[in-house]
Amino acid sequence: MAQNRKLSKEEIKSNYSERDHYDLIIIGAGISGLATGLMWLKNTEGKKTLILEKNSYTGGYSTAFRKGEYVFETTQLFPDIIEMMEYLGLEIKLKRFEKDFMRRIVVHGDEVDEYKIPAGPENFTRYLKSKFPDDADKIEKLMNYSVSMFSQVRKLKVIPTLKDTLVTPFKAPKVIANLNRTYSGLLDKFDITNPKLREVMETFTSFSGVPSERASSIYATGAMLSSMTRCFRPYGYFDEFPANMTKLFQKWGGEVRLHADVERIIINNGIATGVKVKGDNSIISADKVITTIDPMVAMRELVGDENLPAKYIKRLENIVMSTSSINIALGLDDDIDLAGMDLDYPYNVVSTGLGTSEKLFDGFMAGDNAFSEDCFHAAVICPSLTTGAKNTITIRCNPFGINNWLEWRKNDPEKYKAEKERWGDFFINIAEKYFIPGLSKHIVVKDISTPATFSRYSGSPTGSIYDMASIVTQFGPKRLPFKTPVENLYQPKFAHGLYGSMMNGVQMVDMLLNRKFNDGNSLFTPKAR
Ligand SMILES: Cc1cc2nc3c(=O)[nH]c(=O)nc-3n(C[C@H](O)[C@H](O)[C@H](O)COP(=O)(O)OP(=O)(O)OC[C@H]3O[C@@H](n4cnc5c(N)ncnc54)[C@H](O)[C@@H]3O)c2cc1C
């Protein structure tokens, strides 16, 4: 049985050779760090490259863990990063979800609407038109516009030259027109006023815990089209992906050092020259340093305000980090028939109606959460239907703020446990009511991750699960640039999810190599394959 095999992450060992100097040091062995390391070694020769990771495993937020006889995974949807994997020669056995992308339930008091959102934009358009025939014309126009806008993103350059800037309005007019538009603004543009139709469309912004009134229209459209066009799930466990990336990186001569908590980025005269790992007596020096960890920690703590211009510090102060989450991983007994419950979708999502995301986001911005019996949003995923292992489900609930979670965990374990259980029960009841009748009777193992858990593993003080929030005021040219004010220090962190993390690597390496690899393009279009 799949559950008896070793987790792939357990096979990964450090191969640090303790050199004094490296060409490149990457902080963090999550998908962004590993993708950067791989794209770099694939496009350079003989470069001495070291990835430093504070945890005992690679993969960061994309991982798997064992509890009793069960294996649980953090990430659930494997987006369409196939081209990048083929380019690197990374292999992993994936199940493709061909028919439906999501089972979606919207609750209005006692009334429940259910949708089966099909995979692929054409199928989705057809489906929406059949569900909302009075709005068929508007739907057609919105979806055509969305596909066209997303295709224009391909024409953008990451760091435009003057010439690029001059031609962009002609090559990508829809992107320019939408740079400051929210997703809600885009729906307004197409006169989508039917509240039920809006509820379905807004599914794609609530994914990241951001309401459509604040989400970037381009980002939300990209998330919708890229995730639904081709989506997958590994047949094995999710940690196989970063483990394979790590093995390939090491095979190509890259070094990985686990248990290496970087406490300082060394700056001399405004230039990054190396890093200091906690517990080390000496500094590891490097020509270039790339950080893929929480930007607030990297810049404000590891670099320090004394090394940053006041303008940049101000910018950091205004950054809204993404939300945190509560994740409930359940191992179920063998008596439950999950296969017979129509759960085999990348996501099963239930929420209350229009306005929910906004209320929940406001609760998060106030530092806490706004979940209640009348206002909720949760995703229920059933990984064991793909892995074939013992029955598991994961309930993902965001947005939560860090609130008192760190404090409770440290100083008041009883309160921490009680709050964990309270929210666990709250969301288990929701999953039981809308997706899995009798769920609570079948629970054998329960593991609840709180914002404090996410903070502990990632090192993000806010327990942010998606880095900087994907709100329109932080999108495109308004995001923190990869190039930091410190010379030779870079920070490829602007898009969330596995797709975004892989693209962090692509764009970062292309920038270091002066467009020699991806021609400065915003999407993956390498010159030589
Ligand atoms: C519960 C959950 C479910 C998700 N589900 C999906 C999904 O289904 N599909 C999807 O596409 N995306 C999903 N995501 C998002 C996705 O996992 C992340 O966007 C992605 O993994 C981020 O990768 P990263 O490398 O940028 O950051 P991280 O994964 O945070 O990696 C950063 C690494 O840096 C290390 N680090 C931090 N501080 C230091 C330090 N001082 N010194 C050394 N190392 C340090 C950390 O330990 C970590 O390994 C999910 C995220 C979460 C939390």
Side-chain angles (χ1 to χ4, degrees):
M1 288 288 277
Q3 66 267 20
N4 291 330
R5 71 168 175 80
K6 218 175 167 182
L7 287 179
S8 306
K9 72 176 187 184
E10 292 163 9
E11 295 164 11
I12 300 301
K13 304 274 177 281
S14 292
N15 63 337
Y16 176 46
S17 69
E18 300 189 31
R19 298 172 68 89
D20 295 334
H21 184 85
Y22 287 84
D23 295 300
L24 177 66
I25 286 180
I26 299 169
I27 308 173
I31 304 302
S32 296
L34 291 168
T36 305
L38 282 170
M39 296 290 172
W40 170 250
L41 289 187
K42 167 110 184 163
N43 287 285
T44 58
E45 245 174 63
K47 293 286 186 196
K48 302 293 172 226
T49 310
L50 171 66
I51 302 184
L52 297 167
E53 169 54 53
K54 74 171 174 54
N55 287 334
S56 59
Y57 58 91
T58 61
Y61 270 150
S62 181
T63 192
F65 59 97
R66 195 183 292 280
K67 191 154 184 184
E69 286 187 283
Y70 295 86
V71 172
F72 300 112
E73 296 145 280
T74 48
T75 28
Q76 304 295 337
L77 175 84
F78 200 90
D80 190 357
I81 51 173
I82 305 303
E83 261 192 278
M84 288 181 256
M85 288 174 64
E86 283 172 357
Y87 172 78
L88 293 170
L90 272 172
E91 276 179 24
I92 177 163
K93 218 169 153 234
L94 295 168
K95 160 167 151 179
R96 179 168 174 189
F97 291 92
E98 302 271 4
K99 192 170 163 277
D100 288 321
F101 170 67
M102 186 188 288
R103 186 170 158 207
R104 175 81 173 99
I105 290 178
V106 188
V107 181
H108 305 98
D110 293 335
E111 191 199 321
V112 168
D113 293 322
E114 180 160 350
Y115 305 94
K116 302 266 174 77
I117 297 182
E122 294 88 12
N123 296 337
F124 184 44
T125 308
R126 217 172 295 126
Y127 176 79
L128 285 176
K129 283 159 73 175
S130 72
K131 283 274 170 190
F132 303 98
D134 292 347
D135 294 300
D137 274 1
K138 297 175 189 174
I139 293 168
E140 181 85 34
K141 282 185 187 140
L142 169 71
M143 289 303 287
N144 285 344
Y145 185 89
S146 301
V147 170
S148 163
M149 173 166 74
F150 191 50
S151 73
Q152 290 181 7
V153 173
R154 194 165 277 284
K155 302 194 170 127
L156 296 182
K157 299 289 180 189
V158 181
I159 305 182
T161 59
L162 180 62
K163 188 172 153 225
D164 296 331
T165 308
L166 291 175
V167 297
T168 304
F170 303 100
K171 282 184 162 178
K174 293 195 174 86
V175 174
I176 300 293
N178 282 281
L179 272 181
N180 296 315
R181 188 175 275 147
T182 61
Y183 193 62
S184 155
L186 183 64
L187 297 181
D188 292 342
K189 177 176 160 62
F190 289 91
D191 199 23
I192 307 280
T193 49
N194 180 341
K196 296 214 169 192
L197 175 55
R198 277 186 93 103
E199 275 165 6
V200 178
M201 299 311 295
E202 292 183 1
T203 298
F204 298 96
T205 55
S206 54
F207 250 178
S208 50
V210 174
S212 63
E213 289 79 2
R214 301 202 197 204
S216 145
S217 56
I218 303 175
Y219 190 87
T221 301
M224 171 180 83
L225 295 175
S226 64
S227 54
M228 68 156 34
T229 301
R230 289 206 296 175
C231 55
F232 309 84
R233 188 182 171 98
Y235 279 109
Y237 300 122
F238 243 100
D239 62 323
E240 193 183 344
F241 177 51
N244 286 3
M245 292 176 90
T246 314
K247 284 182 202 161
L248 188 59
F249 176 74
Q250 292 179 325
K251 189 173 150 200
W252 287 350
E255 295 182 25
V256 174
R257 181 177 172 193
L258 301 172
H259 304 284
D261 191 347
V262 176
E263 62 179 9
R264 196 82 195 146
I265 296 172
I266 309 300
I267 318 287
N268 283 318
N269 300 321
I271 304 172
T273 55
V275 300
K276 163 85 171 58
V277 171
K278 210 177 265 177
D280 279 5
N281 294 322
S282 57
I283 283 159
I284 316 174
S285 78
D287 289 344
K288 292 184 187 351
V289 177
I290 292 178
T291 163
T292 65
I293 70 172
D294 183 289
M296 297 304 141
V297 178
M299 291 298 142
R300 312 250 9 218
E301 294 176 25
L302 270 52
V303 170
D305 286 359
E306 66 280 12
N307 290 306
L308 295 170
K311 211 168 144 196
Y312 191 79
I313 295 175
K314 188 107 205 116
R315 203 161 169 190
L316 289 173
E317 280 169 352
N318 289 328
I319 293 281
V320 178
M321 290 301 290
S322 67
T323 66
S324 196
S325 173
I326 288 192
N327 261 32
I328 299 139
L330 301 175
L332 308 179
D333 64 26
D334 298 338
D335 297 335
I336 193 162
D337 177 23
L338 289 175
M341 291 187 185
D342 195 19
L343 292 166
D344 195 11
Y345 302 85
Y347 280 107
N348 301 283
V349 174
V350 59
S351 75
T352 39
L354 214 57
T356 296
S357 308
E358 179 132 59
K359 274 189 219 142
L360 293 178
F361 191 76
D362 287 347
F364 153 76
M365 286 297 276
D368 196 358
N369 79 82
F371 283 90
S372 71
E373 294 292 338
D374 306 316
C375 181
F376 57 82
H377 177 274
V380 177
I381 305 112
C382 190
S384 55
L385 291 178
T386 301
T387 59
K390 279 177 85 68
N391 291 325
T392 52
I393 69 157
T394 298
I395 312 173
R396 290 195 51 192
C397 325
N398 70 318
F400 273 81
I402 193 78
N403 191 22
N404 295 319
W405 287 100
L406 288 172
E407 160 68 16
W408 290 330
R409 187 174 181 278
K410 195 166 163 218
N411 297 324
D412 194 349
E414 272 183 29
K415 173 77 176 162
Y416 181 68
K417 190 160 180 267
E419 283 295 309
K420 235 166 111 151
E421 291 301 319
R422 177 163 84 89
W423 286 110
D425 290 346
F426 177 83
F427 288 109
I428 289 168
N429 281 340
I430 288 174
E432 182 161 82
K433 188 163 174 193
Y434 297 104
F435 291 116
I436 310 178
L439 169 63
S440 38
K441 291 202 299 276
H442 295 277
I443 299 172
V444 180
V445 166
K446 181 163 64 175
D447 183 274
I448 303 174
S449 313
T450 70
T453 319
F454 291 113
S455 175
R456 191 156 52 101
Y457 282 101
S458 69
S460 163
T462 41
S464 298
I465 60 167
Y466 293 131
D467 214 81
M468 291 172 262
S470 57
I471 50 182
V472 73
T473 47
Q474 298 185 165
F475 184 73
K478 288 165 282 173
R479 71 185 195 216
L480 272 188
F482 282 17
K483 208 168 182 319
T484 72
V486 177
E487 204 175 313
N488 292 344
L489 176 65
Y490 303 87
Q491 181 166 239
K493 291 287 270 186
F494 73 91
H496 69 235
L498 303 182
Y499 178 86
S501 303
M502 292 297 289
M503 282 307 302
N504 284 340
V506 169
Q507 295 190 357
M508 183 68 256
V509 171
D510 195 39
M511 185 185 295
L512 291 181
L513 299 179
N514 297 320
R515 295 188 170 188
K516 282 202 187 97
F517 139 58
N518 201 48
D519 206 16
N521 293 316
S522 58
L523 298 184
F524 182 63
T525 36
K527 287 179 175 174
R529 285 173 192 246

